[in-house]
Amino acid sequence: MASRSTVSFAQRGAEHPNPLVGRLFEIAEKKKTNVVLSADLTTTKELLTIADSLGPHIAVLKTHIDIVSDFGPETVQGLIELAKRHDFLLFEDRKFVDIGNTVQKQYKGGVLRIHEWAHIINASILAGEGIIQALDQTVRDGGLEDRGILILAEMTSKGSLAVGEYTRLSVEIARKYPKSVIGFVSTTELSNHSPSNTPTEDFVVFTTGVNISSKGDALGQQYQTPTTAMAGGSDFLIAGRGIYGASDPVDAVKQYQTAGWDAYERRVASHNGDKQVGPDIN
Ligand code: 5BU
């Protein structure tokens, strides 16, 4: 994969064949943020309250909708309304992992009806290519232009088995589904795992495990800072407890926004030979 990480989001959005990616980069440029809030709250009220207060500072809101204890139509309606009001995308971190036939039902149906409201979903290739084929089919047959899949190419938890050949195959499978696979959840850009001859290939890199003040938790989570993630080729920084768990979440999200955006601007500027962009703060 040719590296696109030093190209501006505006240019990448304008040149990208997938309209959802165009919209994502447009939102990021307009709001000057590449923060994805991992809103791992467990009641509808808490989820919608944090989405409303932090919405102006984020590009994407990531949910684990199955941990919301009082999930119902008002949960989804609230998320859709706030996404429109504050202009962010919705990403359900469902981590689909089953056979194709089952994931189609999990994506479209059940009580969660994820396909109806989540712009972005993610899936693991553990079950083989059929899972991506099945989700791709649902995305394309669903008649909705703004849906995209991220492949879980790496994970941030200690001892993760999503490494090496697994990661390389994630990239190869992604290339076969350009209409629906928009990128990866990975800790770095994956250009070295499987080089491509297509210079315009542009997978978006979402990086979890981002935290300014902690190195990890007691259950195996491992963190890096916004700056190291951006230096490694990340495009969008996914942060949860570092933001919503802070004593002042609005203040915290602004710190992540500034750190992420400054690092992005530095990356693009240094490639263009211009070093006069903001200090390296985190
Ligand atoms: P945290 O509070 O910033 O640690 O939350 C991280 C979120 O990202 C949480 O929702 C996880 O389920 C999610 N996550 C992760 O931490 N690591 C990964 O490799 C992947 C997802 Br994929």
Side-chain angles (χ1 to χ4, degrees), residues 88-122:
F88 57 73
L89 299 181
L90 297 169
F91 169 10
E92 167 54 23
D93 189 359
R94 174 63 180 75
K95 299 187 179 71
F96 292 101
V97 71
D98 216 311
I99 61 166
N101 185 259
T102 302
V103 296
Q104 282 189 333
K105 292 178 185 161
Q106 291 172 324
Y107 182 28
K108 282 196 290 195
V111 281
L112 302 178
R113 306 178 81 82
I114 295 166
H115 175 251
E116 287 179 8
W117 55 270
H119 304 101
I120 303 171
I121 52 159
N122 53 6

Side-chain angles (χ1 to χ4, degrees), residues 1 13 18 22 80 94 107-108 128-129 136 140 174 192 197 200-201 210 228-229 244-245 251 266 269 282:
M1 183 191 326
N18 187 310
I80 293 172
R94 174 63 180 75
Y107 182 28
K108 282 196 290 195
E129 189 178 329
D136 171 75
R140 288 187 299 115
N192 299 329
N197 296 327
T200 53
E201 181 175 280
V210 175
T228 54
Y244 70 77
D251 189 53
R266 272 197 307 277
N282 282 297

Side-chain angles (χ1 to χ4, degrees), residues 38-40 62 64 93 95 122 152 154-157 185 208-211 217 221 223 238-242 244:
S38 182
D40 300 335
K62 183 176 86 60
H64 279 298
D93 189 359
K95 299 187 179 71
N122 53 6
L152 292 158
E154 291 178 322
M155 289 197 66
T156 56
S157 36
V185 179
T208 48
V210 175
N211 195 305
D217 69 13
Q221 174 68 301
Y223 289 124
I238 303 177
R241 286 165 286 179
Y244 70 77

Side-chain angles (χ1 to χ4, degrees), residues 47-66:
L47 176 61
L48 299 184
T49 302
I50 205 91
D52 196 15
S53 58
L54 305 188
H57 304 284
I58 62 173
V60 180
L61 183 88
K62 183 176 86 60
T63 52
H64 279 298
I65 209 69
D66 58 350

Side-chain angles (χ1 to χ4, degrees), residues 8-18 21-23 25-26 202:
S8 74
F9 284 174
Q11 188 180 337
R12 288 173 69 184
E15 291 173 357
H16 208 284
N18 187 310
V21 177
R23 200 167 143 210
F25 281 133
E26 197 178 282
D202 190 356

